Amino acid sequence: MRPTVLVNVAMSADGKISTRERRQVRISGSLDRARVDRMKAECDAIMVGIGTVLADNPSLTVKSAELREKRVQRGQEGNPIRIVVDSLARTPLDADLLHKGNGIRIIAISERADAARVENLKRWATVIQVGESEVDLRDLMQILGDRGIHRLMVEGGGRLIGALFREHLVDELTTYVGNVVIGGDASPTPADGTGFLKEEEFVRLHLEEVSPLEEGILIRWTVEKKWNNQA
Ligand SMILES: NC(=O)c1ccc[n+]([C@@H]2O[C@H](COP(=O)([O-])OP(=O)(O)OC[C@H]3O[C@@H](n4cnc5c(N)ncnc54)[C@H](OP(=O)(O)O)[C@@H]3O)[C@@H](O)[C@H]2O)c1
């Protein structure tokens, strides 16, 4: 069975997750960042696309020492398993997520990845080859489920999230809407890529929770059953 997939994203009041230069920007405040840290600490694994690794160089660690300690007391690693969806094995060898904090790292690649790059990455991470030209997200989820990953948090970016929605692999979407306007046709949004054309294809969500947080709003939706394939 695939893991339960929880997408978390921070977007501006006008629905952008970054600038047109795909530069990391601060959309939420310290309370929301603490919430994200708690969410991370409650997951078995955390996933990002290679676009996010190249743009933001995130470490994907749990920031609070107390939360890491609680995980250890529960018999887990201090940090969740960190996963990069990276068809061509472009993850830089000095990426923070490969070096900061303890815990397992997984790089999911496709058959197109360069063999020498893959060999280098294997020094720091477990490499899973799944998919011909790009990472096959459905098969990857199955493999992650078989490895005992039950709760998976996805932290972006837009293309990966868009593809997960297209594949009906998302169970929950939490969006923090911050009090900034970023604008721009080319600025990434929470679900990029090809998107859907027909209304009947749109993924339908069920509203679970809305709460004001600092100068923004936190919204939690679950994905309606028809649009979420629990294989
Ligand atoms: N505000 C937020 O909450 C937040 C969070 C995270 C990121 N961001 C922002 O998001 C931007 C990065 O987003 P992004 O859309 O450029 O990159 P992304 O979603 O992080 O990564 C997308 C890449 O993943 C790879 N990939 C492999 N298999 C795939 C598949 N089956 N489906 C989709 N992608 C697949 C592709 O590259 P290959 O073909 O090379 O494999 C693709 O270009 C940055 O600006 C970052 O700052 C914002």
Side-chain angles (χ1 to χ4, degrees):
M1 203 163 112
R2 73 163 174 84
T4 299
V5 175
L6 314 170
V7 171
N8 184 77
V9 70
M11 70 177 191
S12 59
D14 59 321
K16 311 292 181 187
I17 63 169
S18 172
T19 66
R20 67 176 191 275
E21 294 175 327
R22 296 184 179 265
R23 199 167 37 80
Q24 186 177 29
V25 286
R26 189 157 278 194
I27 293 171
S28 59
S30 58
L31 290 182
D32 189 58
R33 285 197 297 280
R35 174 195 65 80
V36 173
D37 209 36
R38 288 194 296 278
M39 187 173 170
K40 211 182 280 176
E42 282 160 17
C43 286
D44 301 310
I46 176 159
M47 175 184 280
V48 291
I50 179 64
T52 296
V53 173
L54 296 176
D56 304 352
N57 191 21
S59 68
L60 304 179
T61 52
V62 173
K63 303 295 177 287
S64 152
E66 197 184 325
L67 291 175
R68 283 199 307 273
E69 183 52 35
K70 278 193 183 149
R71 285 179 57 92
V72 172
Q73 283 166 10
R74 292 199 296 265
Q76 298 171 297
E77 291 267 12
N79 294 301
I81 298 172
R82 289 169 270 174
I83 304 167
V84 185
V85 175
D86 177 13
S87 314
L88 300 175
R90 290 188 291 149
T91 301
L93 293 179
D94 61 352
D96 279 356
L97 69 90
L98 294 179
H99 302 284
K100 288 201 173 160
N102 55 6
I104 297 166
R105 287 89 169 164
I106 294 175
I107 312 288
I109 61 160
S110 74
E111 288 170 21
R112 279 201 302 148
D114 175 78
R117 282 181 172 279
V118 174
E119 277 318 300
N120 280 331
L121 280 173
K122 280 184 180 167
R123 284 163 47 207
W124 312 107
T126 300
V127 175
I128 298 177
Q129 191 187 72
V130 59
E132 282 176 28
S133 59
E134 62 175 11
V135 173
D136 184 320
L137 296 171
R138 276 178 184 246
D139 287 354
L140 174 62
M141 289 299 175
Q142 207 58 48
I143 292 168
L144 298 178
D146 292 345
R147 285 181 173 237
I149 295 174
H150 304 299
R151 258 177 104 75
L152 171 70
M153 176 173 171
V154 177
E155 271 233 286
R159 287 184 189 129
L160 175 62
I161 297 171
L164 289 168
F165 272 117
R166 281 197 69 81
E167 295 290 336
H168 298 175
L169 290 169
V170 179
D171 298 287
E172 210 173 285
L173 170 67
T174 303
T175 310
Y176 179 78
V177 185
N179 63 326
V180 289
V181 172
I182 296 176
D185 300 339
S187 303
T189 75
D192 286 333
T194 51
F196 299 105
L197 285 177
K198 298 182 188 145
E199 270 187 53
E200 58 270 25
E201 293 173 340
F202 295 174
V203 172
R204 304 273 162 193
L205 308 173
H206 179 71
L207 184 62
E208 298 287 350
E209 240 180 282
V210 186
S211 49
L213 185 62
E214 297 171 307
E215 290 286 314
I217 308 169
L218 189 64
I219 311 170
R220 190 167 67 83
W221 316 83
T222 45
V223 176
E224 287 189 5
K225 242 189 165 44
K226 185 178 164 191
W227 285 272
N228 122 6
N229 255 328
Q230 266 293 2

